[in-house]
Amino acid sequence: MPTVVCVSSVNYEWMYQRPQQLMRGLSERGWRVIYCNKTQRKDKYLEALSENLTICHDMKRLIESAEKADVVWVIDPRQRDLKGLFKEKLFLYDCVDDFPFLQNDHYKMLKIADIVLATSNPLYHAIAKYRKDLYLVPNGCDYKHFSERNKLSIDCQIKNALGIIGYIGALAPWVDYKLLELIAAEKPKHTLLLVGASLGNIAMPKKNNIVYVGHQSYDKVPSFLSMMDVTLIPFRKNKITYATNPIKMYEYLSQGKPIVSAALPEVMPFARYLYVAKNHKDFIDHIDKALVENDSEILAQRKEIARRNAWEKRIDNIEEIISSYLRKLPRKVSR
């Protein structure tokens, strides 16, 4: 049974996204997965979530235990000093974002990682200047979780709204808050529903028709999504969003929801199934169109796109990438 130690950029129980999805998926396929939480603590060491999936709360202790791994999976480029500490056969760098403050560490990581994964085409083409052993593995969605599970009963305190315009995701600096305020002002009889954790000192827009419910458990997210008539990807255009492959796009598509999005590179290949806005006025106009959309065919097409981009497809690709690398390693001759 292969062992992977994932040194994650997010705690397993917080904002369930790419690292958790991939590691859980690998564990369900027989991999022994040790998921090292971002937040470390001394009062707890290992926590078994399933037969093959264990959360590590004290990585220092894990290293001292002489734990060995087939693969060490890192996301934060500042973790390059971990290479070799688990006697791993493969040190893998999963490049998921382009944060300017990590740029120097990113280039240093590119020099020492055995292979690199990139989540978006902009990241892939930027890294390809420096690495040949590079693979494009975009984000995806938990299609069954979003499209097939029974919805939970939730109370959002939404009353007398003509419709619900919604956003699910981190309320982070790359969100266009002026746009959200404009949407609320232009659609006073609609509710603007915001679901997600607030990151940083963000001044949230304040309008009577904005409902902010904060971070929600992963089990409840499909229920919030099912309430929305139109979904949003209201990102500012900057270096970070230029390189992002938005998970929320695939999750919205899982329920066939109309999506109004900023014109980001990773959104454009799906433009015929979305409403892509070039500016704020365009964004409002597209919301108007999306609110009256009545097309069962495009709804089915969206769901099919999501199904084809499920995390299972990504894990198929990752398993082949890793297996191919390990097969090429020289075999040790026993004496």
Side-chain angles (χ1 to χ4, degrees):
M1 180 186 300
T3 295
V4 57
V5 172
C6 174
V7 184
S8 186
S9 58
V10 63
N11 290 350
Y12 190 86
E13 64 277 7
W14 177 251
M15 292 178 62
Y16 206 78
Q17 49 190 281
R18 180 183 177 95
Q20 297 99 314
Q21 295 281 9
L22 295 180
M23 293 305 117
R24 185 189 67 176
L26 287 172
S27 72
E28 290 173 350
R29 297 189 182 198
W31 288 67
R32 176 173 172 258
V33 175
I34 302 174
Y35 185 104
C36 299
N37 267 359
K38 178 181 179 179
T39 303
Q40 296 285 284
R41 47 193 288 191
K42 297 296 182 183
D43 62 328
K44 200 172 187 179
Y45 178 29
L46 299 177
E47 176 186 0
L49 295 189
S50 66
E51 181 181 358
N52 295 327
L53 179 58
T54 300
I55 306 303
C56 175
H57 300 278
D58 188 346
M59 192 167 63
K60 184 174 183 292
R61 188 172 170 184
L62 183 69
I63 294 170
E64 291 172 347
S65 73
E67 177 69 51
K68 293 183 179 181
D70 295 281
V71 179
V72 171
W73 183 298
V74 296
I75 298 152
D76 188 331
R78 292 171 293 189
Q79 300 284 7
R80 60 188 179 277
D81 291 343
L82 294 174
K83 184 173 184 179
L85 294 184
F86 295 98
K87 307 298 182 186
E88 69 277 357
K89 301 172 184 175
L90 169 60
F91 189 75
L92 185 152
Y93 173 36
D94 190 13
C95 183
V96 301
D97 286 302
D98 188 4
F99 290 127
F101 73 96
L102 290 176
Q103 189 174 57
N104 289 336
D105 295 289
H106 167 71
Y107 290 122
K108 291 176 182 177
M109 177 64 86
L110 292 180
K111 292 180 180 180
I112 65 113
D114 294 318
I115 61 173
V116 179
L117 307 184
T119 59
S120 70
N121 280 286
L123 284 174
Y124 180 91
H125 292 302
I127 296 171
K129 300 173 185 176
Y130 307 94
R131 296 288 304 242
K132 292 183 178 179
D133 42 1
L134 166 69
Y135 302 89
L136 178 64
V137 181
N139 288 319
C141 63
D142 188 344
Y143 180 75
K144 290 183 179 180
H145 181 74
F146 279 88
S147 67
E148 299 177 10
R149 63 174 280 112
N150 294 325
K151 306 299 187 295
L152 302 175
S153 176
I154 54 176
D155 180 12
C156 286
Q157 300 180 347
I158 294 174
K159 299 177 182 178
N160 302 323
L162 283 180
I164 298 176
I165 303 165
Y167 169 80
I168 298 174
L171 277 302
W174 50 83
V175 172
D176 189 339
Y177 295 97
K178 289 184 179 179
L179 173 60
L180 293 181
E181 193 165 11
L182 177 63
I183 292 169
E186 292 287 327
K187 300 296 174 189
K189 295 184 179 180
H190 292 76
T191 291
L192 178 57
L193 176 59
L194 308 178
V195 182
S198 179
L199 305 182
N201 297 319
I202 301 298
M204 297 292 292
K206 298 185 183 300
K207 294 285 184 181
N208 291 335
N209 59 332
I210 295 179
V211 175
Y212 172 56
V213 298
H215 172 70
Q216 297 292 319
S217 69
Y218 187 61
D219 282 346
K220 291 183 179 180
V221 174
S223 301
F224 281 100
L225 178 56
S226 68
M227 298 173 63
M228 298 174 181
D229 299 291
V230 174
T231 59
L232 308 176
I233 305 178
F235 287 174
R236 297 164 52 204
K237 293 181 182 179
N238 57 30
K239 187 176 177 66
I240 296 171
T241 60
Y242 179 82
T244 195
N245 182 258
I247 293 175
K248 61 183 57 56
M249 176 179 67
Y250 302 110
E251 293 175 345
Y252 293 163
L253 289 169
S254 294
Q255 291 189 18
K257 296 290 183 178
I259 303 169
V260 183
S261 175
L264 307 174
E266 290 294 277
V267 166
M268 297 313 294
F270 304 93
R272 63 176 293 192
Y273 306 102
L274 283 64
Y275 298 88
V276 179
K278 297 178 182 178
N279 51 49
H280 284 189
K281 182 184 182 302
D282 212 14
F283 216 105
I284 300 298
D285 291 344
H286 283 320
I287 289 175
D288 288 336
K289 296 173 186 176
L291 282 169
V292 296
E293 180 187 284
N294 183 22
D295 187 338
S296 59
E297 183 177 346
I298 197 167
L299 185 149
Q301 290 172 345
R302 289 175 182 143
K303 296 185 73 171
E304 175 60 19
I305 292 169
R307 189 189 64 79
R308 294 202 304 263
N309 285 276
W311 287 116
E312 288 87 351
K313 307 292 185 183
R314 308 299 190 234
I315 295 169
D316 287 342
N317 192 12
I318 287 166
E319 283 195 306
E320 177 54 37
I321 291 167
I322 292 175
S323 297
S324 176
Y325 179 88
L326 295 179
R327 283 196 300 266
K328 294 175 183 177
L329 293 179
R331 295 186 179 182
K332 292 184 178 179
V333 178
S334 57
R335 297 181 182 275

